[in-house]
Amino acid sequence: MQIKYNSRYPAIDDLIKKAKRKIPRFAFEYLDGGCNEDVNLHKNTAELRTIELIPYYLQNYKPSNLHTELFGHVYDAPFGIAPVGLQGLMWPNAPEILARAAFEHNIPFILSTVTTSSIERIAEITEGRAWFQLYHPAENEIRDSIINRAASAQLPVLVILSDVPTFGYRPRDIRNGLAMPPKMTLQNILQIMGKPEWALKTLIHGQPAFATMKKYMPKGLNMRQLGLYMNKTFSGRLNEEKIKPIRDMWKGKLVIKGVASEEDTETAIKLGLDGIIVSNHGGRQLDAGQSTIHSLQPIVKNYKNKIKIMMDSGIRSGPDIARTLASGAEFAFLGRTFMYSVAALGNEGGNHAISILKTQVQQVMEQVCCPNTASFPNHLIKNS
Ligand SMILES: Cc1cc2nc3c(=O)[nH]c(=O)nc-3n(C[C@H](O)[C@H](O)[C@H](O)COP(=O)(O)O)c2cc1C
């Protein structure tokens, strides 16, 4: 897919500002916020940006190549779209916009269990290339049914989420009635009235619904009942006993997302998993936790080549992706960045963000004289 972006919004900050103007405050705050005092949210990006790269300006130049192999597929770039729940709340049709853009640019799109498009719809758009993220349901029957649907759709990678033993404490969402169980406040209604384009598009597309989960849910639930249902369905902590049967059932690649310690990495290797995504959920779960770049460093040092190591949280630009890869992650994922772009630019948002990021990563590679994405670690300035 050709690189094509809107030159009025060349920076992610431009998109954040525009998204904030375009969508109701409760939706923007749901996307933008971390948890508690947002310490981990800010640390993720700030500490990632202490990583420095060394350029080699006088070496023999080889053209930089963004193509990156992961789980047997060669992607056009070393980054992908992280799973985000309730995307249709931020912009109607957002998961489909992003899945289509990811497919056209040949990068991975991970579909969340709790977003507003179904496994089947996203598999169709991506010709079976999307990955699926599983929130582990309390009932094994639902677990098996969801996994079978992902297998029937021939999705190549199943990502089990580990870092939501309970929902994070998010003051803005509580204030806005978006905590569990959710409620529609007068404030929210007023905010919707102030965003006519969002309101109209939402009216046309219909109220956002948990498309993959719909078939398991009792009909006609109001918002409060829906919240209680989701809380009950996804309650519980992941452990080895819950992962083992999934490893047995799932014939494709199996990844755990939300790893932030060497101990959990060991467990993932022991259970025969194919990859981990070092992640702290974009700083939305444990405000007292480390930034992911700091969690990543010992994991790379001790487990590189024993399991595929990927990372997300706090990545907002091409240089951030370069820093992540230079630190030893083999692939980067971004969550909010793509959603800001879709909230700001609608249908154009997916291509726009991917094009900006591809351009920026390529530009960094040309600067430091890095021929391929696996060579980024040669450019890491140690102890930076
Ligand atoms: C609004 C929002 C909803 C999210 N929902 C999910 C989800 O349903 N499943 C999941 O595995 N991760 C979810 N995440 C976490 C992302 O997959 C990813 O780890 C995080 O966004 C990365 O950080 P970044 O936003 O700083 O790039 C969500 C993140 C945000 C911001």
Side-chain angles (χ1 to χ4, degrees):
M1 174 86 186
Q2 227 185 339
I3 301 277
K4 189 165 177 273
Y5 55 80
N6 182 332
S7 56
R8 286 171 65 195
Y9 308 98
I12 300 303
D13 275 351
D14 302 326
L15 297 168
I16 296 176
K17 283 190 204 121
K18 185 158 168 77
K20 196 171 183 178
R21 286 199 302 273
K22 265 186 81 178
I23 69 175
R25 197 178 75 202
F26 64 86
F28 182 80
E29 290 188 344
Y30 170 67
L31 171 62
D32 193 55
C35 63
N36 300 82
E37 282 73 45
D38 289 342
V39 173
N40 200 219
L41 169 77
H42 295 301
K43 235 168 37 177
N44 275 333
T45 306
E47 293 184 354
L48 176 60
R49 290 184 176 175
T50 64
I51 302 291
E52 295 169 327
L53 303 190
I54 186 155
Y56 300 120
Y57 287 123
L58 299 181
Q59 281 190 357
N60 282 339
Y61 173 76
K62 291 193 208 96
S64 303
N65 186 350
L66 252 67
H67 289 83
T68 304
E69 191 273 336
L70 181 62
F71 298 139
H73 184 91
V74 179
Y75 290 103
D76 278 8
F79 61 85
I81 303 182
V84 167
L86 264 177
Q87 285 161 304
L89 182 76
M90 277 80 83
W91 195 256
N93 229 14
E96 300 186 12
I97 294 171
L98 287 176
R100 193 165 291 115
F103 176 71
E104 286 170 354
H105 280 275
N106 185 27
I107 65 165
F109 169 83
I110 313 183
L111 180 74
S112 162
T113 308
V114 293
T115 193
T116 48
S117 281
S118 68
I119 294 176
E120 291 74 15
R121 178 76 187 114
I122 294 299
E124 188 188 319
I125 290 173
T126 62
E127 296 182 8
R129 285 222 213 124
W131 301 11
F132 181 70
Q133 171 264 318
L134 180 77
Y135 258 104
H136 196 286
E139 281 178 43
N140 288 345
E141 244 175 66
I142 297 185
R143 173 199 70 191
D144 294 353
S145 166
I146 296 176
I147 293 178
N148 285 332
R149 286 167 64 192
S152 306
Q154 301 193 322
L155 304 190
V157 184
L158 182 69
V159 178
I160 313 175
L161 181 67
S162 68
D163 60 12
V164 188
T166 58
F167 286 101
Y169 189 87
R170 303 177 191 152
R172 271 165 294 215
D173 291 351
I174 297 171
R175 224 175 284 130
N176 293 332
L178 282 181
M180 287 295 178
K183 58 180 189 296
M184 186 48 77
T185 63
L186 177 64
Q187 286 283 359
N188 292 356
I189 294 166
L190 291 174
Q191 288 167 25
I192 291 172
M193 286 165 67
K195 307 292 173 189
E197 190 187 347
W198 180 94
L200 186 66
K201 287 255 156 60
T202 301
L203 204 67
I204 294 168
H205 283 279
Q207 213 184 325
F210 295 111
T212 292
M213 292 305 297
K214 209 158 118 197
K215 66 185 275 192
Y216 313 110
M217 291 162 49
K219 296 217 163 43
L221 298 183
N222 64 29
M223 251 170 93
R224 190 184 153 72
Q225 292 162 331
L226 181 68
L228 291 171
Y229 172 84
M230 293 305 265
N231 232 359
K232 191 171 118 254
T233 304
F234 296 113
S235 66
R237 172 176 293 276
L238 204 61
N239 58 29
E240 291 189 25
E241 294 322 305
K242 288 185 181 168
I243 298 169
K244 279 180 194 156
I246 300 180
R247 176 68 291 184
D248 292 340
M249 277 176 79
W250 180 256
K251 303 298 170 227
K253 300 293 180 190
L254 190 60
V255 167
I256 292 264
K257 170 173 182 283
V259 172
S261 67
E262 293 184 60
E263 287 79 355
D264 285 356
T265 308
E266 291 256 355
T267 305
I269 294 170
K270 188 176 92 188
L271 295 175
L273 269 79
D274 301 287
I276 55 170
I277 303 181
V278 177
S279 166
N280 56 33
H281 217 103
R284 291 163 76 81
Q285 290 295 108
L286 176 64
D287 211 26
Q290 277 187 309
S291 62
T292 43
I293 195 68
H294 281 175
S295 303
L296 177 79
Q297 287 156 346
I299 293 176
V300 164
K301 187 163 170 239
N302 295 316
Y303 302 99
K304 183 131 189 169
N305 300 326
K306 295 190 176 137
I307 191 161
K308 277 273 167 205
I309 302 172
M310 300 158 273
M311 188 189 108
D312 76 18
S313 298
I315 303 170
R316 298 279 181 278
S317 68
D320 289 347
I321 294 169
R323 292 177 171 109
T324 303
L325 301 183
S327 303
E330 291 163 82
F331 216 83
F333 284 92
L334 299 85
R336 292 182 184 84
T337 299
F338 293 111
M339 286 307 305
Y340 291 134
S341 189
V342 172
L345 303 177
N347 285 339
E348 226 191 286
N351 279 335
H352 178 79
I354 298 169
S355 292
I356 287 182
L357 294 170
K358 274 184 170 172
T359 305
Q360 292 182 352
V361 178
Q362 178 90 41
Q363 194 272 346
V364 176
M365 292 176 85
E366 300 284 351
Q367 276 294 312
V368 300
C369 198
C370 180
N372 52 58
T373 59
S375 301
F376 265 118
N378 299 339
H379 298 270
L380 179 71
I381 299 185
K382 300 260 166 42
N383 304 320
S384 60

